[in-house]
Amino acid sequence: MTSETHARPGAPDGLAAELLEVALEAAGAAGALLRDGRPADLAVAATKSSPIDVVTEMDLAAEKLITGVLERRRPHDALLGEEGADRAGTSGVRWVVDPLDGTVNYLYGLPSWSVSVAAEYEGETLVGVVAAPMRGETFRAVLGGGAWLGGTRLACRAAAPLDQALVATGFAYLQPRRAQQAEVAREVVPRVRDIRRGGSAAIDLCDVAAGRLDAYYERGLNPWDLAAGVLIAREAGALTGGRPGRPASGELALAGTPAVFEALQPLLEAAGAWHD
């Protein structure tokens, strides 16, 4: 076992290494399916929160593939997936899966989409894997073992003031929330270097880990959007959270270099980034 798979105290010996291996298999297989199996006539299969919040047949196929891997490798674990997979378990492990993060990008043929697979042990995220097949990148982290991209250990950017920070965000598919998020962005833009909107929360969190962004924030995310990416960002030295004193959640999720996090969090609080 390498140093990156040393589990936190209390986790059974070898559990982190096993979960990481399974997560890499599941994310890799789903990523290959999505990359190589995308039909030329890909269409919307269903909608969720609004007519522009879409699901494609490939979202469903990727989740089915991941579910199959987990049932074969870890049949006693619980599972929560974006596209409806939900089962109880008896092992203390729960998988939190987004089979296609960035569905609209994928629908339009844009490359910024990913597969996010996280494993919790007794309620704490122990392993996170984010595969970004069109980049040829797979990010991974184990609690206490650092964040990695291939053989490179990741570290977030060096300290910089907020006005020199490159900050990513995202926007919801519910129109009233989008309007409020636009108002928040108006408050943020003049105070930072620039804003980016990539379309995949998991990739944005990994880009904070890799030093490609100084921070990322968004309201309205779900556990499957956050679980793997938050662990990867935190293991690379980023601070993560929501409103002051609270963890990242659907109310607000924020990750950034320590200096930018400390400056951006109160700005987002004052701007009302946590409510519609």
Short mmCIF file of all heavy atoms in Angstrom, two decimals, residues 54-78:
data_model
loop_
_atom_site.label_atom_id
_atom_site.label_comp_id
_atom_site.label_asym_id
_atom_site.label_seq_id
_atom_site.Cartn_x
_atom_site.Cartn_y
_atom_site.Cartn_z
N VAL A 54 -31.24 18.60 -17.88
CA VAL A 54 -31.53 17.43 -18.71
C VAL A 54 -30.78 16.18 -18.25
O VAL A 54 -29.77 16.24 -17.56
CB VAL A 54 -31.19 17.72 -20.19
CG1 VAL A 54 -32.01 18.89 -20.70
CG2 VAL A 54 -29.70 17.99 -20.38
N VAL A 55 -31.31 15.04 -18.70
CA VAL A 55 -30.68 13.74 -18.56
C VAL A 55 -30.64 13.12 -19.96
O VAL A 55 -31.63 13.17 -20.68
CB VAL A 55 -31.49 12.82 -17.62
CG1 VAL A 55 -30.81 11.46 -17.50
CG2 VAL A 55 -31.66 13.45 -16.25
N THR A 56 -29.52 12.54 -20.32
CA THR A 56 -29.43 11.83 -21.59
C THR A 56 -29.40 10.33 -21.35
O THR A 56 -29.19 9.86 -20.22
CB THR A 56 -28.17 12.23 -22.37
OG1 THR A 56 -27.02 11.67 -21.72
CG2 THR A 56 -28.03 13.75 -22.47
N GLU A 57 -29.58 9.58 -22.42
CA GLU A 57 -29.50 8.13 -22.31
C GLU A 57 -28.12 7.69 -21.82
O GLU A 57 -27.98 6.64 -21.17
CB GLU A 57 -29.78 7.50 -23.68
CG GLU A 57 -28.77 7.88 -24.74
CD GLU A 57 -29.17 7.44 -26.14
OE1 GLU A 57 -28.80 6.30 -26.50
OE2 GLU A 57 -29.82 8.21 -26.86
N MET A 58 -27.11 8.50 -22.08
CA MET A 58 -25.76 8.13 -21.66
C MET A 58 -25.54 8.34 -20.16
O MET A 58 -24.77 7.60 -19.55
CB MET A 58 -24.72 8.92 -22.47
CG MET A 58 -24.76 8.60 -23.96
SD MET A 58 -24.51 6.83 -24.32
CE MET A 58 -22.78 6.64 -23.89
N ASP A 59 -26.21 9.34 -19.56
CA ASP A 59 -26.19 9.45 -18.10
C ASP A 59 -26.68 8.14 -17.48
O ASP A 59 -26.08 7.60 -16.53
CB ASP A 59 -27.13 10.57 -17.61
CG ASP A 59 -26.71 11.95 -18.00
OD1 ASP A 59 -26.82 12.29 -19.20
OD2 ASP A 59 -26.30 12.71 -17.13
N LEU A 60 -27.80 7.67 -18.00
CA LEU A 60 -28.43 6.46 -17.45
C LEU A 60 -27.55 5.23 -17.68
O LEU A 60 -27.39 4.39 -16.79
CB LEU A 60 -29.80 6.27 -18.08
CG LEU A 60 -30.78 7.45 -17.90
CD1 LEU A 60 -32.05 7.21 -18.71
CD2 LEU A 60 -31.10 7.67 -16.44
N ALA A 61 -26.95 5.15 -18.87
CA ALA A 61 -26.09 4.00 -19.17
C ALA A 61 -24.84 4.00 -18.28
O ALA A 61 -24.40 2.95 -17.81
CB ALA A 61 -25.70 4.02 -20.65
N ALA A 62 -24.27 5.18 -18.06
CA ALA A 62 -23.07 5.27 -17.22
C ALA A 62 -23.38 4.89 -15.78
O ALA A 62 -22.59 4.19 -15.13
CB ALA A 62 -22.48 6.67 -17.30
N GLU A 63 -24.51 5.34 -15.25
CA GLU A 63 -24.85 4.97 -13.88
C GLU A 63 -25.11 3.46 -13.78
O GLU A 63 -24.71 2.83 -12.80
CB GLU A 63 -26.07 5.74 -13.38
CG GLU A 63 -26.39 5.42 -11.92
CD GLU A 63 -27.19 6.50 -11.23
OE1 GLU A 63 -26.67 7.61 -11.08
OE2 GLU A 63 -28.35 6.23 -10.86
N LYS A 64 -25.75 2.89 -14.78
CA LYS A 64 -25.98 1.44 -14.77
C LYS A 64 -24.65 0.68 -14.76
O LYS A 64 -24.49 -0.32 -14.05
CB LYS A 64 -26.82 1.04 -15.98
CG LYS A 64 -27.16 -0.44 -16.03
CD LYS A 64 -28.05 -0.76 -17.22
CE LYS A 64 -28.40 -2.25 -17.27
NZ LYS A 64 -29.25 -2.57 -18.45
N LEU A 65 -23.69 1.15 -15.54
CA LEU A 65 -22.38 0.50 -15.57
C LEU A 65 -21.70 0.60 -14.21
O LEU A 65 -21.17 -0.39 -13.69
CB LEU A 65 -21.52 1.15 -16.66
CG LEU A 65 -20.18 0.48 -16.98
CD1 LEU A 65 -19.76 0.84 -18.40
CD2 LEU A 65 -19.08 0.91 -16.01
N ILE A 66 -21.70 1.79 -13.62
CA ILE A 66 -21.06 1.97 -12.31
C ILE A 66 -21.74 1.10 -11.26
O ILE A 66 -21.08 0.45 -10.44
CB ILE A 66 -21.09 3.45 -11.91
CG1 ILE A 66 -20.19 4.27 -12.82
CG2 ILE A 66 -20.66 3.63 -10.44
CD1 ILE A 66 -20.34 5.77 -12.66
N THR A 67 -23.07 1.10 -11.28
CA THR A 67 -23.81 0.27 -10.33
C THR A 67 -23.43 -1.19 -10.46
O THR A 67 -23.27 -1.91 -9.46
CB THR A 67 -25.32 0.45 -10.54
OG1 THR A 67 -25.66 1.82 -10.35
CG2 THR A 67 -26.12 -0.40 -9.59
N GLY A 68 -23.26 -1.65 -11.69
CA GLY A 68 -22.86 -3.04 -11.91
C GLY A 68 -21.49 -3.35 -11.33
O GLY A 68 -21.28 -4.40 -10.72
N VAL A 69 -20.54 -2.42 -11.51
CA VAL A 69 -19.20 -2.62 -10.94
C VAL A 69 -19.28 -2.70 -9.42
O VAL A 69 -18.68 -3.59 -8.79
CB VAL A 69 -18.26 -1.48 -11.36
CG1 VAL A 69 -16.93 -1.56 -10.59
CG2 VAL A 69 -17.99 -1.53 -12.87
N LEU A 70 -20.05 -1.80 -8.82
CA LEU A 70 -20.13 -1.78 -7.36
C LEU A 70 -20.85 -3.00 -6.81
O LEU A 70 -20.47 -3.54 -5.77
CB LEU A 70 -20.83 -0.50 -6.90
CG LEU A 70 -20.13 0.81 -7.28
CD1 LEU A 70 -20.92 2.01 -6.79
CD2 LEU A 70 -18.71 0.84 -6.73
N GLU A 71 -21.88 -3.45 -7.50
CA GLU A 71 -22.59 -4.65 -7.05
C GLU A 71 -21.69 -5.88 -7.13
O GLU A 71 -21.77 -6.77 -6.29
CB GLU A 71 -23.85 -4.86 -7.89
CG GLU A 71 -24.96 -3.85 -7.56
CD GLU A 71 -26.17 -4.04 -8.45
OE1 GLU A 71 -26.06 -4.73 -9.50
OE2 GLU A 71 -27.23 -3.47 -8.11
N ARG A 72 -20.83 -5.92 -8.13
CA ARG A 72 -19.92 -7.06 -8.29
C ARG A 72 -18.78 -7.01 -7.28
O ARG A 72 -18.43 -8.03 -6.68
CB ARG A 72 -19.36 -7.06 -9.72
CG ARG A 72 -18.28 -8.10 -9.97
CD ARG A 72 -17.94 -8.18 -11.45
NE ARG A 72 -17.63 -6.90 -12.03
CZ ARG A 72 -16.44 -6.30 -11.97
NH1 ARG A 72 -15.42 -6.90 -11.33
NH2 ARG A 72 -16.23 -5.13 -12.55
N ARG A 73 -18.21 -5.83 -7.08
CA ARG A 73 -17.03 -5.71 -6.23
C ARG A 73 -17.37 -5.51 -4.75
O ARG A 73 -16.64 -5.96 -3.88
CB ARG A 73 -16.17 -4.53 -6.71
CG ARG A 73 -15.58 -4.66 -8.11
CD ARG A 73 -14.47 -5.70 -8.18
NE ARG A 73 -13.41 -5.44 -7.22
CZ ARG A 73 -12.33 -4.67 -7.45
NH1 ARG A 73 -12.19 -4.09 -8.63
NH2 ARG A 73 -11.40 -4.52 -6.52
N ARG A 74 -18.48 -4.78 -4.47
CA ARG A 74 -18.80 -4.41 -3.09
C ARG A 74 -20.32 -4.54 -2.87
O ARG A 74 -21.03 -3.55 -2.68
CB ARG A 74 -18.35 -2.96 -2.82
CG ARG A 74 -16.87 -2.69 -3.01
CD ARG A 74 -16.06 -3.07 -1.80
NE ARG A 74 -16.64 -2.54 -0.56
CZ ARG A 74 -16.09 -2.72 0.63
NH1 ARG A 74 -14.97 -3.40 0.76
NH2 ARG A 74 -16.67 -2.22 1.71
N PRO A 75 -20.85 -5.75 -2.87
CA PRO A 75 -22.30 -5.94 -2.86
C PRO A 75 -22.99 -5.52 -1.57
O PRO A 75 -24.22 -5.36 -1.56
CB PRO A 75 -22.45 -7.45 -3.09
CG PRO A 75 -21.16 -8.04 -2.62
CD PRO A 75 -20.12 -7.03 -2.98
N HIS A 76 -22.27 -5.32 -0.50
CA HIS A 76 -22.90 -4.99 0.78
C HIS A 76 -22.84 -3.50 1.10
O HIS A 76 -23.25 -3.09 2.19
CB HIS A 76 -22.25 -5.79 1.91
CG HIS A 76 -22.31 -7.28 1.69
ND1 HIS A 76 -23.50 -7.96 1.62
CD2 HIS A 76 -21.31 -8.20 1.50
CE1 HIS A 76 -23.26 -9.25 1.41
NE2 HIS A 76 -21.95 -9.41 1.33
N ASP A 77 -22.35 -2.70 0.16
CA ASP A 77 -22.24 -1.25 0.38
C ASP A 77 -23.54 -0.55 0.00
O ASP A 77 -24.29 -1.01 -0.87
CB ASP A 77 -21.11 -0.67 -0.47
CG ASP A 77 -19.74 -1.17 -0.04
OD1 ASP A 77 -19.63 -1.78 1.04
OD2 ASP A 77 -18.78 -0.94 -0.81
N ALA A 78 -23.77 0.61 0.61
CA ALA A 78 -24.88 1.47 0.21
C ALA A 78 -24.46 2.28 -1.02
O ALA A 78 -23.27 2.41 -1.33
CB ALA A 78 -25.26 2.40 1.35
#
